Amino acid sequence: MREVIMVKYGEIALKGLNKGTFEDILIKNIKRRLRHLGKFEYMRRQSTVYIEPVSHDADLDEVIEKLKTIFGIGAIQRCAVYPKDFEIIKEESVKYLETALQFARTFKVEAKRSDKTFPLKTPDIQMELGGAILEAYPHLSVDVHNPEVTVMCEIRDKGAYVSAERIIGAGGMPVGSSGKALLLLSGGIDSPVAGYMMAKRGLIVDAIHFVSPPYTSDRALMKVETLCEKLTAYCGDVRFFCVPFTEIQEALRDNCPQEYFTVIMRRLMIRIANHFCKENEYGALVTGESVGQVASQTLRAIQCTDAVAEFPVFRPVVGMDKKEITEIARHIDTFETSILPYEDCCTVFTPKHPKTRPDIADIEKAEAMYDFTDLINKAIRDTEIKLFRVEGNE
Ligand code: ATP
Ligand code: MG
């Protein structure tokens, strides 16, 4: 029996003339992700990509798990393929569907006939195939409104496709179809989720992280690297910029008023991130800030930070509460890593009484008490860059 996986587009299906470009990117992404799982043949037709294993060792369950993490996919269906002969379709699919139907109580058949030369019309296919299934599995009954199993039978150009399971895809747009952005990645819960959400909108997401050894440990850095690795499952390859931030933070501690530390530090981070954006053509910055969460995330503080940003700053989790963010963190498997208790550079030298309504003029005055230019340039020069690749592409 031949089995293929049908991948149906999400939002791409709604695109007009430039749909082909989006499809190309999606297929390229799929091929890269599946490369280490076997050899496959790809065919694209009618807003669907057909993936057929060429080698017999490919594990289709594993393929489906991978496909679930690829943005741009609306739905995934594992199907049997038959010639367009209804007697064969009936006989074979009743056998093929055994696993799906033997323990179910209710089902329905949903047919689609895009090949209009096929002699049976859609309602006839549903009736006839439904009848054959009922005969083979008399314990079943038909429920058209709320069936436990929906059997799909699609008569398409190249054959008849039968499946019992439609899996919801990751949705969104294919990574690489909307440009590139630089994520300010901390070791916390929020920023990995922010990166994931922007990748879902089709952005290539690379990450920048600030470290302050010896105040922050090697293990804190390793934790962030683990987060990067986990993000590759959804974001594809992630370039990682690790910026040494100790001297800057010490100069800040020694020269500027304490209550402004956090906001000035955030502004210094953004100024360094600006540099890498220009150098690598990132079109935006991404952070995991959520309004009201901490002192640096008030409207005033955000305004002060954004004043030095030379690129739009995206904050996809800005309107979410911690519970919602945590749910996504669990879904993308970053939560357990994020809650490991290592210091972030943000938590060293934190003021006891940070200003929650900083005034931009006051901040600029406080910041001007020290000229950070040389230290910023040095941090940029000493930045280490690493590449995290998607599994199987090392
Ligand atoms: P997160 O859970 O993402 O760490 P948070 O709620 O702990 O967020 P903050 O520590 O105030 O909030 O950080 C706000 C944002 O600033 C983070 O989401 C991240 O985008 C950025 N950020 C904080 N620390 C760092 C760091 N060491 N390197 C890079 N970006 C950072
Ligand atoms: Mg944090």
Side-chain angles (χ1 to χ4, degrees), residues 44 56 69 100 119 168 177-178 200 219 225 246 248 266 321:
R44 111 166 71 151
H56 288 290
T69 65
I168 310 275
S177 64
S178 315
K200 186 169 183 174
R219 283 200 293 183
E225 293 192 345
T246 315
I248 292 177
R266 198 63 98 232
D321 61 30

Side-chain angles (χ1 to χ4, degrees), residues 55 60 103 137 201 233 257 266 347 352 355-356 393:
S55 51
L60 291 192
F103 300 117
Y137 304 98
R201 294 315 307 155
R266 198 63 98 232
T347 47
K352 285 201 186 63
K355 271 250 187 304
T356 51
N393 289 276

Side-chain angles (χ1 to χ4, degrees), residues 10-20 22 173 201:
E11 262 178 73
I12 305 179
L14 309 172
K15 294 280 164 197
L17 288 177
N18 52 359
K19 184 166 149 189
F22 290 94
M173 297 297 297
R201 294 315 307 155

Side-chain angles (χ1 to χ4, degrees), residues 1-2 79-98 101 109-115 117-122 124-134 136-137 151-164:
M1 178 199 44
R2 261 177 76 201
C79 335
V81 192
Y82 304 118
K84 287 188 274 187
D85 172 328
F86 197 61
E87 285 312 308
I88 298 179
I89 298 172
K90 255 191 337 198
E91 201 182 310
E92 295 295 319
S93 53
V94 163
K95 285 185 258 166
Y96 176 67
L97 295 167
E98 185 181 345
L101 294 175
V109 176
E110 222 175 74
K112 251 195 209 155
R113 189 183 64 134
S114 52
D115 171 7
T117 65
F118 191 72
L120 272 83
K121 295 222 163 61
T122 305
D124 304 330
I125 300 171
Q126 293 178 172
M127 290 261 286
E128 295 254 342
L129 184 55
I133 290 173
L134 278 174
Y137 304 98
V151 171
M152 262 147 318
C153 176
E154 297 189 31
I155 313 293
R156 295 187 152 222
D157 289 354
K158 293 270 182 174
Y161 298 82
V162 174
S163 82

